[in-house]
């Protein structure tokens, strides 16, 4: 696929369809798990899923940190004509993600119960969390490698192969959720078994591409390994930090919910987080569709082409964001019933909670896309600022501040206010970059 000369819109669509398709399928893992647990186990099981979110976030963080950071540098190098240097970044990123996967694997296994307690599990929820989480932690490296390999394979020009691997893994997970949870009655462990099998199979299929003749990813001797790792971490931080921030925000939100609400509120948060994860993956899919095109053309100095793909990506985000927000504002109770075997307590808070949280979905999409795009053109500091403020600073401040005035409602409003403020900053910053490049071009 010629990313330097092919028509931008057509090329973007070739990446967009499998990227978003793959993102949709990935989120089916969480969706089907949440539905199976919510219907087969009940609200306590769904609340336990909220406690488990940081475990998945840690794995995704490591995969994106190395996968996005390394693949952006690889594509830029190859776009500038240096194939060897590009593969050196790939090799360095592979070594780094392997090291991180081992550390995360050991840490989460050794301190499993302490992690669940930290993120809001009480004596009622802890057995559910342990039943689901033990197998997930045992297969932790597969969850790290899915994000890592997907990014490098897309940048090697095979987004369709990534989608195929994802669809097969998801199909195993979906069937397993039904079969293990309902006919076999395996409860939380059955849902975990289905998720683990799907993830492992997805990694095996994607890894098989590395041994084909078509694969352009080659293991070579890295140039100055430690400086290469530093560049990978800096460039992947913006996208990866969104996941690590989720851990901190989940800690704050879970404890605030238990303070101002109860387990019904925590069950709603578990469900809403799953829905938000679906939208985040779709938004990130749009960003990942733009990323290889933008990175290669940025490396080649083709300014107009990488800004053309920015406009296409942002337009896609706006259409998706408006659609998701309207859908959730109109059907809060119906969507809640899909995920949870509702109790009177859940049904009482569902409409207000859902609608307040849903207002965050449009600016959320803008922020996710801007983080990925800015990394693509090596504006890693700006991407990191967006990630830190939307994922941590503003969110945590508002999660503590707004409930003082509006109690439980303030928790849900905080997400929307945070995303809205950060999206305004991000869009203004991008306009500033474009104006600066335009002035530089006119002077030259």
């Amino acid at each position: 696929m010629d990313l330097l000369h092919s028509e931008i819109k057509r090329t973007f669509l070739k990446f967009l369809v499998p990227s978003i398709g793959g993102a949709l399928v990935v989120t089916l893992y969480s969706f089907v798990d949440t539905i199976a647990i919510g219907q087969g186990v009940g609200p306590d099981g769904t609340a336990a899923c909220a406690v488990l979110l940081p475990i998945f976030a840690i794995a995704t963080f490591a995969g994106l940190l190395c996968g996005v950071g390394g693949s952006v540098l690889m594509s830029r190098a190859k776009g500038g004509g240096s194939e060897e240097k590009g593969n050196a970044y790939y090799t360095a990123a592979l070594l780094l993600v392997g090291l991180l996967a081992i550390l995360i694997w050991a840490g989460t296994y050794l301190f499993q119960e302490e992690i669940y307690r930290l993120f809001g599990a009480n004596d009622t929820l802890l057995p559910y969390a342990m039943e689901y989480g033990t197998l997930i932690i045992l297969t932790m490296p597969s969850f790290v490698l899915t994000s890592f390999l997907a990014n490098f394979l897309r940048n090697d020009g095979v987004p369709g192969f990534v989608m195929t691997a994802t669809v097969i893994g998801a199909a195993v997970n979906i069937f397993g959720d039904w079969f293990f949870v309902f006919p076999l009655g395996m409860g939380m462990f059955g849902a975990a078994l289905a998720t683990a099998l799907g993830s492992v199979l997805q990694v095996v299929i994607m890894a098989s591409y590395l041994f084909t003749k078509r694969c352009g990813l080659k293991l070579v001797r890295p140039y100055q390994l430690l400086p290469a790792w530093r560049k990978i971490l800096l460039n992947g931080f913006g996208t990866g930090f969104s996941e690590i921030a989720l851990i901190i925000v989940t800690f704050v939100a879970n404890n605030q919910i238990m303070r101002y609400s109860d387990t019904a509120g925590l069950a709603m948060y578990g469900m809403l987080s799953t829905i938000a994860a679906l939208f985040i993956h779709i938004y990130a899919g749009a960003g990942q569709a733009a990323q290889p095109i933008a990175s290669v053309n940025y490396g080649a100095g083709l300014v107009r082409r990488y800004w053309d793909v920015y406009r296409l990506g942002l337009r896609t985000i706006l259409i998706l964001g408006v659609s998701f927000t309207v859908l959730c504002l109109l059907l809060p109770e119906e969507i809640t019933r899909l995920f949870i075997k509702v109790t009177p307590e859940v049904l009482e808070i569902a409409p207000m909670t859902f609608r307040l949280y849903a207002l965050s979905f449009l600016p959320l999409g803008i922020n996710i896309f801007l983080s990925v795009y800015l990394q693509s053109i090596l504006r890693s500091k700006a991407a990191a600022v967006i990630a830190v403020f939307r994922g941590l600073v503003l969110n945590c401040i508002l999660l503590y501040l707004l409930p003082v005035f509006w109690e439980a409602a303030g928790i849900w409003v905080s997400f929307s206010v945070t995303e809205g403020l950060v999206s305004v900053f991000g869009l203004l910053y991008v306009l500033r970059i474009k104006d600066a490049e335009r002035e530089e071009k006119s002077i030259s």
Side-chain angles (χ1 to χ4, degrees):
M1 193 179 296
D2 186 356
L3 301 183
L4 294 174
H5 302 100
S6 57
E7 199 268 321
I8 286 289
K9 186 174 182 179
R10 185 177 302 170
T11 305
F12 176 69
L13 288 174
K14 284 183 179 179
F15 278 90
L16 181 67
V17 173
S19 292
I20 288 186
L24 282 168
V25 174
V26 164
T27 53
L28 281 175
Y29 283 60
S30 299
F31 254 60
V32 176
D33 272 359
T34 305
I35 293 171
I37 291 169
Q39 298 293 341
V41 179
D44 284 343
T46 307
C49 287
V51 173
L52 265 295
L53 284 174
I55 300 295
F56 289 104
I58 290 169
T60 306
F61 164 69
L64 289 175
L65 184 69
C66 302
V68 172
S71 63
V72 165
L73 292 167
M74 180 192 74
S75 291
R76 185 199 176 200
K78 290 186 176 183
S82 180
E83 193 80 17
E84 181 79 8
K85 186 177 181 181
N87 282 320
Y89 278 123
Y90 162 65
T91 306
L94 185 61
L95 293 171
L96 180 58
V97 80
L99 176 62
L100 291 178
I102 292 170
L103 292 175
I104 292 168
W105 195 7
T108 52
Y109 182 78
L110 291 174
F111 302 102
Q112 186 178 172
E113 182 174 341
E114 290 82 356
I115 292 171
Y116 300 153
R117 292 282 189 187
L118 179 65
F119 288 96
N122 54 23
D123 290 340
T124 300
L125 299 182
L126 185 62
Y128 293 97
M130 292 292 292
E131 185 180 357
Y132 185 86
T134 300
L135 186 56
I136 296 299
I137 288 173
L138 288 174
T139 54
M140 176 67 73
S142 71
F143 294 97
V144 176
L145 290 174
T146 50
S147 299
F148 175 81
L149 289 172
N151 276 283
F152 271 99
L153 266 60
R154 286 192 195 98
N155 277 267
D156 201 44
V158 288
F161 184 84
V162 175
M163 181 176 174
T164 299
T166 305
V167 168
I168 294 172
V172 170
N173 180 43
I174 292 168
F175 174 78
D177 270 321
W178 167 78
F179 185 68
F180 297 140
V181 174
F182 295 103
L184 296 186
M186 296 173 67
M188 299 289 286
F189 181 80
L193 178 60
T195 300
L197 288 174
S199 179
V200 170
L201 181 59
Q202 186 179 341
V203 168
V204 169
I205 294 171
M206 284 197 287
S208 70
Y209 171 78
L210 303 176
F211 302 97
T212 64
K213 292 181 179 179
R214 184 182 177 184
C215 180
L217 304 171
K218 307 297 181 185
L219 294 176
V220 300
R221 185 183 181 88
Y223 304 140
Q224 299 179 316
L225 186 60
L226 292 180
W229 280 0
R230 179 177 176 275
K231 289 182 179 179
I232 290 166
L233 294 174
L234 285 174
N235 278 284
F237 181 80
T239 302
F241 185 81
S242 296
E243 297 295 330
I244 207 69
L246 176 62
I247 299 171
I248 301 169
V249 171
T250 300
F251 167 75
V252 175
N254 284 1
N255 284 281
Q256 286 292 85
I257 289 168
M258 293 301 286
R259 179 181 178 185
Y260 289 96
S261 183
D262 51 23
T263 55
L266 196 59
M268 284 297 298
Y269 182 57
M271 181 197 71
L272 289 168
S273 298
T274 300
I275 293 170
L278 165 65
F279 297 157
I280 287 170
H281 279 92
I282 293 172
Y283 296 144
Q288 288 159 1
Q291 182 265 309
I293 308 168
S295 294
V296 168
N297 283 279
Y298 181 80
L302 301 177
V303 177
R304 182 175 178 179
R305 287 177 64 83
Y306 64 75
W307 283 118
D308 282 346
V309 80
Y310 165 78
R311 283 189 289 272
L312 285 169
L314 185 60
R315 194 180 307 156
T316 302
I317 291 296
L318 294 175
I319 293 170
L320 292 171
V322 170
S323 301
F324 296 154
T325 303
V326 170
L327 178 66
C328 292
L329 289 175
L330 292 176
L331 302 172
E333 187 177 319
E334 291 80 358
I335 297 173
T336 301
R337 288 183 181 276
L338 173 66
F339 280 89
I340 304 174
K341 187 186 294 182
V342 295
T343 62
E345 294 79 13
V346 169
L347 205 54
E348 181 181 354
I349 66 172
M352 180 201 70
T353 299
F354 210 130
R355 289 188 173 114
L356 291 177
Y357 194 96
L359 295 174
S360 68
F361 291 148
L362 175 57
L364 168 65
I366 294 171
N367 293 331
I368 296 296
F369 176 75
L370 289 179
S371 285
V372 177
Y373 183 81
L374 288 169
Q375 286 174 304
S376 303
I377 58 172
L378 297 186
R379 297 296 201 283
S380 54
K381 289 183 180 179
V385 168
I386 289 174
V388 169
F389 272 83
R390 70 158 288 271
L392 183 61
V393 177
L394 276 178
N395 217 341
C396 287
I397 290 173
L398 293 176
L399 276 169
Y400 281 113
L401 180 63
L402 296 187
V404 174
F405 301 99
W406 297 316
E407 296 188 336
I411 296 171
W412 313 112
V413 170
S414 67
F415 294 99
S416 302
V417 174
T418 297
E419 299 293 353
L421 291 174
V422 175
S423 66
V424 170
F425 161 79
L427 291 170
L428 290 175
Y429 178 78
V430 171
L431 286 176
R432 183 181 171 189
I433 294 175
K434 292 179 72 175
D435 289 341
E437 287 189 351
R438 194 177 295 116
E439 288 179 12
E440 184 179 338
K441 186 177 180 180
S442 64
I443 293 172
S444 61

